[in-house]
Amino acid sequence: MPNAPQHVRIDIQEVRHRNRTAKAILANLSDSIPHLTNLLHYLNIAIDDVPFLVFEVKRLASEVAATRLNLANLVAAAHATLNSHRDEEPDPLYYLRDELSAQGFLPPSEGGRV
């Protein structure tokens, strides 16, 4: 999609509502127009995928939020490291090591500090 928006907001409740409505319409059509049963069956199968897609969208949104938080924490640790270096603190890399350890990139130290 060449012109896809950078951030798309999806109303999950509305998607679920439309899915239930579409399934009800297909059921009514299948009952009232029997010769379209096979076609409506294929449409119903496609609509059955929507709940799984909704679940995946919610899971990915949660994963993106966690990744953004981790990145923000790393950026804050980098800033703190640079500032402590500028201020000539004795261990300016402490902040970065601490955050990397908190995110599981370094093993924790024995004393709780890195």
Side-chain angles (χ1 to χ4, degrees):
M1 297 188 330
N3 294 321
Q6 292 295 329
H7 188 72
V8 177
R9 297 229 183 253
I10 298 173
D11 183 346
I12 298 295
Q13 292 298 92
E14 182 63 24
V15 169
R16 286 182 172 151
H17 173 72
R18 283 189 235 151
N19 181 259
R20 285 190 298 271
T21 301
K23 286 188 77 62
I25 290 169
L26 287 176
N28 288 335
L29 285 173
S30 184
D31 290 343
S32 61
I33 312 172
H35 66 278
L36 292 180
T37 300
N38 287 338
L39 172 67
L40 297 175
H41 174 71
Y42 287 113
L43 292 173
N44 209 23
I45 290 172
I47 289 173
D48 284 342
D49 290 338
V50 170
F52 300 106
L53 293 172
V54 165
F55 175 80
E56 186 65 4
V57 165
K58 289 175 79 173
R59 186 190 69 76
L60 290 171
S62 176
E63 192 174 309
V64 165
T67 301
R68 285 180 176 169
L69 178 61
N70 287 341
L71 176 61
N73 287 338
L74 280 172
V75 168
H79 282 284
T81 298
L82 292 172
N83 289 334
S84 67
H85 175 71
R86 186 194 64 225
D87 295 341
E88 298 179 2
E89 289 184 20
D91 186 11
L93 291 175
Y94 167 77
Y95 302 102
L96 189 55
R97 284 194 311 268
D98 185 56
E99 185 57 34
L100 288 171
S101 180
Q103 290 191 27
F105 292 109
L106 294 176
S109 68
E110 294 175 10
R113 295 187 94 198
V114 180

